[in-house]
Amino acid sequence: MKKNNVYIETYGCQMNVADTELVKGILKNNGYEMTNEADNADVILLNTCSVRDNAEQRIYGRLGNFKNLKLGKPGLVVGILGCMAERLRKDLIEEKKIVDVIVGPDEYRKLPELIDVAFNGEKGIGVRLSRTETYDDIIPYREDGLQAWISVMRGCDKFCTFCVVPFTRGRERSRSLDSVVEEVKQLSERGFKEITLLGQNVNSYQDNQNDFADLLAACAIVDRKMRIRFTTSHPQDLSDKLLYAIAENPNICNYIHLPVQSGSNRILKLMNRTYTIEHYLNLIQKAKQIIPGVSFSTDIISGFPTETYEDHVMTLDVMREVKYDGAYMFKYSPREGTKAYKMEDDVTEEIKTKRLQEIIDLQQQISFEKNQSLIDQEEIVLIEGLSKKSDKFMSGRTDTNKVVIIPADEKIEEGGYVKVKINRATSATLFGVPVSLVNETDNKLALTA
Ligand code: SAH
Ligand code: SF4
Ligand code: F3S
């Protein structure tokens, strides 16, 4: 019997989502088929995340589930891909008998070979990191749709003291501008309407003389009816040139994910974030001047070692000042091998939880107020399809990434742009009525006119 059905589950960040598509591309080229049901699979792969302890615990739980499956199907191959494969290789090999294949983010080309090794009863292991691998020549396998992720660089050189990513993903390296633009063209031809360029720190993208602003601009002119997004920007190297590129290209979304992590300069220093809050707030000010209507989202960690109540209040103050449109908020989780791991994890679980809840509550209040202020305004919405809750409604997004619900109308197509007048808002969703079908992708032109 030919063993060739692969089932993949993906955890962690969007880089992993993009990597899973890459892995599918590689496996399909080697004669494997994909299945959406673990029960039908000859190979089960988990593309994993190590960023916080709870991410890893989920995977251990999942491996427990697959153990039973394997008992009834001894030939089944189970593999761990991604950041946990890189971080925990030894433990996984020694302690998790159920794991047959362990492949880190820079060795996916070897996956078909390593799966064969596992079919022959041995462990298939590939965990070397590379300084050059970008998978530039591999076409990721994507289902048709409106939205696609493209990774434009891999790795991270920042070494924030809390973060495991530089250890699991290795050094920074960029894909060529031409290969990224070519991928955007292909996606445009297939009818995709929104592309997100991905990297742990896209601002350090470099391909010969081209920097990230050049790459964004080159992607934006491919198809002006395609929205271009990007993530993540590190506050240290967000350049004026990049801000102008966003302002000058109507289809680059007015939305910047700019993780602040903490509002306290003392904590930022301990985190090795390499900027001060003054620098950060200046940047926000400048972006608001250069890009009318720009909005921001952020990441925040609560309870980093030595964080005091005063430090915590400074974080709340920054949130009030910037008024983020969205935030990803986490409790500090010590990661072995990082610099911060050597510091005492001295903020108690109880205090971490309490501070995190205050941060979440404040963000919810800010999101609610920001959304209320959009009532009676017009927004350009990319229609994504019928609303999940009812087929009497359609759902889409603004260029600032807010979900908008409108009454369904047969004249309005999935993938089309509609000008919508907002008439109601919660902290998570806008509701409105269609005004007209439009060609533009965002409100920028209207705002600057
Ligand atoms: N490269 C991106 C984000 C990578 S990880 C950036 O620098 O912004 C995503 C987020 O997870 C980080 O921004 C941080 O807020 C959070 N994070 C990373 N390590 C963490 C840890 N040890 N404990 C809690 N949160 C963490
Ligand atoms: Fe981690 Fe910092 Fe790199 Fe982001 S910039 S991936 S937080 S080390
Ligand atoms: Fe997680 Fe690795 Fe992404 S640790 S956040 S999957 S880079």
Side-chain angles (χ1 to χ4, degrees):
M1 189 186 76
K2 200 162 179 283
K3 293 177 168 171
N4 61 4
N5 269 338
V6 183
Y7 169 82
I8 310 189
E9 276 179 16
T10 308
Y11 298 82
C13 65
Q14 288 139 358
M15 302 288 295
N16 263 12
V17 176
D19 278 359
T20 289
E21 294 176 340
L22 202 69
V23 164
K24 287 183 179 172
I26 293 170
L27 292 176
K28 285 207 150 231
N29 284 341
N30 284 273
Y32 286 90
E33 292 296 323
M34 298 302 136
T35 168
N36 289 325
E37 281 165 52
D39 290 340
N40 293 338
D42 305 301
V43 181
I44 291 178
L45 300 174
L46 302 180
N47 194 0
T48 62
C49 172
S50 285
V51 81
R52 282 169 292 276
D53 186 54
N54 53 13
E56 293 191 342
Q57 293 312 322
R58 272 178 80 193
I59 299 296
Y60 288 131
R62 228 25 212 144
L63 282 178
N65 300 149
F66 291 134
K67 211 173 192 168
N68 296 331
L69 207 58
K70 199 164 169 163
L71 283 175
K73 198 176 181 182
L76 179 70
V77 163
V78 175
I80 298 282
L81 312 180
C83 291
M84 269 176 89
E86 202 58 57
R87 197 178 92 76
L88 295 170
R89 38 187 123 167
K90 261 219 217 87
D91 304 12
L92 288 171
I93 301 165
E94 286 162 13
E95 287 167 29
K96 300 285 154 189
K97 299 267 178 299
I98 175 189
V99 178
D100 309 294
V101 170
I102 301 172
V103 185
D106 287 348
E107 297 244 73
Y108 293 146
R109 277 177 207 270
K110 284 202 192 142
L111 198 51
E113 201 184 302
L114 294 170
I115 292 175
D116 277 345
V117 170
F119 278 140
N120 288 323
E122 284 170 54
K123 303 259 180 196
I125 299 166
V127 288
R128 225 167 301 172
L129 289 172
S130 158
R131 287 186 175 262
T132 51
E133 178 64 274
T134 60
Y135 302 105
D136 229 357
D137 55 317
I138 291 180
I139 300 171
Y141 173 77
R142 294 189 178 92
E143 308 276 341
D144 284 330
L146 294 177
Q147 204 280 333
W149 313 102
I150 302 184
S151 27
V152 302
M153 55 184 301
R154 304 183 70 84
C156 181
D157 289 351
K158 287 275 180 238
F159 289 95
C160 303
T161 56
F162 51 79
C163 184
V164 80
V165 173
F167 304 97
T168 62
R169 296 243 161 204
R171 297 290 60 75
E172 250 167 41
R173 64 222 105 111
S174 302
R175 281 178 61 182
S176 73
L177 180 138
D178 291 344
S179 78
V180 175
V181 170
E182 184 51 40
E183 203 169 327
V184 175
K185 273 187 193 145
Q186 287 172 10
L187 290 167
S188 154
E189 279 157 18
R190 282 177 63 186
F192 279 82
K193 285 288 176 317
E194 187 179 296
I195 297 293
T196 307
L197 305 183
L198 294 177
Q200 292 298 351
N201 174 20
V202 288
N203 304 132
S204 41
Y205 176 89
Q206 199 74 45
D207 173 35
N208 295 319
Q209 292 87 305
N210 295 308
D211 61 16
F212 187 64
D214 298 321
L215 178 71
L216 258 188
C219 291
I221 55 170
V222 168
D223 177 354
R224 288 294 188 195
K225 288 196 73 172
M226 219 175 185
R227 280 180 173 172
I228 310 289
R229 301 184 185 279
F230 60 95
T231 194
T232 296
S233 290
H234 190 289
Q236 188 200 338
D237 9 66
L238 182 77
S239 68
D240 289 10
K241 184 175 165 191
L242 179 61
L243 297 176
Y244 282 105
I246 301 171
E248 284 159 10
N249 288 276
N251 56 332
I252 301 179
C253 291
N254 290 349
Y255 184 85
I256 307 178
H257 182 58
L258 199 65
V260 69
Q261 312 296 1
S262 166
S264 153
N265 280 335
R266 190 181 66 82
I267 296 291
L268 287 173
K269 194 149 193 217
L270 289 174
M271 288 177 163
N272 188 32
R273 286 294 287 183
T274 67
Y275 52 84
T276 60
I277 277 302
E278 291 72 26
H279 170 88
Y280 184 91
L281 293 174
N282 261 331
L283 205 56
I284 296 269
Q285 245 358 76
K286 196 156 62 178
K288 284 181 175 168
Q289 278 161 13
I290 295 175
I291 313 164
V294 67
S295 65
F296 300 95
S297 59
T298 196
D299 292 349
I300 293 172
I301 296 178
S302 101
F304 187 82
T306 77
E307 186 187 76
T308 62
Y309 181 71
E310 286 71 31
D311 294 319
H312 166 63
V313 168
M314 289 181 206
T315 300
L316 298 175
D317 287 344
V318 169
M319 292 173 71
R320 280 190 201 97
E321 175 143 3
V322 178
K323 296 199 175 62
Y324 295 105
D325 275 79
Y328 301 90
M329 301 156 283
F330 313 103
K331 272 188 250 181
Y332 170 67
S333 167
R335 308 315 285 139
E336 203 174 346
T338 61
K339 265 203 169 155
Y341 192 74
K342 299 197 188 85
M343 303 169 71
E344 192 190 343
D345 182 19
D346 60 352
V347 180
T348 63
E349 184 60 25
E350 193 190 342
I351 293 183
K352 277 184 194 168
T353 304
K354 188 163 176 282
R355 289 183 189 164
L356 179 65
Q357 196 55 49
E358 284 177 26
I359 290 169
I360 292 171
D361 290 345
L362 175 58
Q363 182 53 43
Q364 178 149 12
Q365 185 196 327
I366 293 170
S367 297
F368 181 75
E369 283 163 13
K370 288 206 87 164
N371 286 353
Q372 289 296 310
S373 74
L374 292 173
I375 292 177
D376 289 335
Q377 307 252 13
E378 289 180 348
E379 288 282 338
I380 309 285
V381 176
L382 170 58
I383 300 297
E384 291 171 356
L386 289 175
S387 141
K388 282 192 204 95
K389 291 196 188 136
S390 153
D391 58 10
K392 294 195 171 63
F393 293 91
M394 299 185 98
S395 141
R397 274 170 208 272
T398 65
D399 80 319
T400 53
N401 217 12
K402 292 178 191 287
V403 174
V404 182
I405 304 290
I406 59 171
D409 180 330
E410 56 201 28
K411 288 193 285 306
I412 299 176
E413 287 177 5
E414 205 174 294
Y417 292 97
V418 181
K419 187 184 279 182
V420 172
K421 185 159 184 181
I422 306 301
N423 56 22
R424 185 162 79 81
T426 66
S427 64
T429 315
L430 304 173
F431 300 84
V433 286
V435 177
S436 57
L437 304 181
V438 291
N439 271 320
E440 56 275 31
T441 59
D442 78 343
N443 291 357
K444 200 148 32 191
L445 294 179
L447 284 165
T448 42

